[in-house]
Amino acid sequence: MISNSKGIMVALLPSHLPRPFLGVVEVRRSRAAAAAAPISTASTSAALPDLKKWGARLCSKSLNLAFTGALALGFALGGVGIADAKVGVNRPEMLPKEFSPVIDVAGFLSASQERQLCQEIADLEKDTGVKLRILAQNYPETPGAAVKEFWKVDDQTIVFVADPTFGNMLHFNVGASVDLDVPRSFWSRVAGKYGNMFYWKEKGEDASIEAAVVAISSCLRESTGPSNCLEVN
């Protein structure tokens, strides 16, 4: 709007606009035209298979990464979500000579603590069918991907990685069958309560591991079903 010689306000037509404003008008017109243009159904349909393939590759890659380094769910929960893990660690020479559900290459646990955890894990598997496996490590000192074959990891397996390297000490990779029963928020609550740096620095890495195992065992043994694991005591 401008005032003419008689003081009356009149509207500027596009032809009256200064050059910079004409540029803005043209850009807005171009965007409006693009928005109004019909979307090609054929091109959209063609893109969907590629998108699905990309998603499948990403999911497969994320599950494999869970066994190659320090972190598993994060919870990769979901296999448990996408794991933030380092790539390329596969050292079977660090595995024990005989089978054990607990592998402590970091030395966080005493011999008696390790025996107690092994017994609790055996009882838990007998009662619930769920296979809990614990790997205590300090990345990159870890057998990494080698544990997958050593433990015969399947849909009924929880791989619990205790590693304080990246701050929070507790990381989980949960088999698909277990993931259907246990709320994903349970794992993040366990990690948040017993895996935070203040907890394990004050009480010790061993206490953090033991507390997490107690919470997991209590959840899976719930008489009304693990889907009611809503509290972490």
Side-chain angles (χ1 to χ4, degrees):
M1 301 288 287
I2 62 173
S3 299
N4 61 12
S5 59
K6 296 182 180 181
I8 300 173
M9 301 298 291
V10 296
L12 280 174
L13 297 174
S15 59
H16 297 141
L17 291 174
R19 284 290 176 185
F21 289 94
L22 284 174
V24 173
V25 170
E26 292 304 321
V27 168
R28 288 177 177 171
R29 285 176 178 170
S30 298
R31 289 177 178 172
I39 298 174
S40 172
T41 304
S43 62
T44 303
S45 300
L48 286 177
D50 291 337
L51 183 60
K52 291 179 179 178
K53 289 179 182 178
W54 178 84
R57 287 197 300 269
L58 178 61
C59 181
S60 175
K61 183 178 180 181
S62 70
L63 291 177
N64 288 331
L65 283 176
F67 297 100
T68 59
L71 307 181
L73 251 207
F75 215 167
L77 285 176
V80 165
I82 298 176
D84 178 15
K86 300 294 183 181
V87 179
V89 180
N90 187 356
R91 301 173 64 183
E93 70 275 10
M94 296 188 71
L95 295 170
K97 299 298 182 182
E98 298 180 359
F99 175 84
S100 174
V102 179
I103 301 174
D104 181 16
V105 296
F108 294 147
L109 303 166
S110 68
S112 62
Q113 286 175 316
E114 190 168 331
R115 285 194 298 270
Q116 290 172 356
L117 287 173
C118 287
Q119 186 59 58
E120 172 60 30
I121 290 170
D123 293 341
L124 182 65
E125 185 172 347
K126 180 180 179 181
D127 295 341
T128 67
V130 176
K131 299 185 292 184
L132 179 61
R133 302 292 182 258
I134 301 173
L135 172 62
Q137 64 177 44
N138 273 308
Y139 183 85
E141 294 303 312
T142 171
V147 301
K148 185 175 182 180
E149 179 60 28
F150 181 78
W151 280 331
K152 306 299 181 186
V153 174
D154 58 19
D155 289 349
Q156 283 290 103
T157 306
I158 302 168
V159 177
F160 169 8
V161 181
D163 188 332
T165 304
F166 302 101
N168 193 297
M169 183 172 171
L170 307 183
H171 317 281
F172 305 93
N173 185 281
V174 179
S177 296
V178 183
D179 186 39
L180 291 174
D181 292 328
V182 180
R184 296 189 175 191
S185 58
F186 168 78
W187 306 104
S188 60
R189 288 197 297 272
V190 172
K193 182 169 184 177
Y194 301 121
N196 73 78
M197 189 179 298
F198 299 102
Y199 189 95
W200 62 260
K201 279 194 171 183
E202 178 184 352
K203 299 181 181 296
E205 294 91 346
D206 56 338
S208 182
I209 294 170
E210 290 177 325
V213 170
V214 169
I216 294 169
S217 179
S218 297
C219 170
L220 295 176
R221 293 175 186 278
E222 283 282 342
S223 59
T224 53
S227 60
N228 290 309
C229 300
L230 301 177
E231 298 294 333
V232 175
N233 298 320

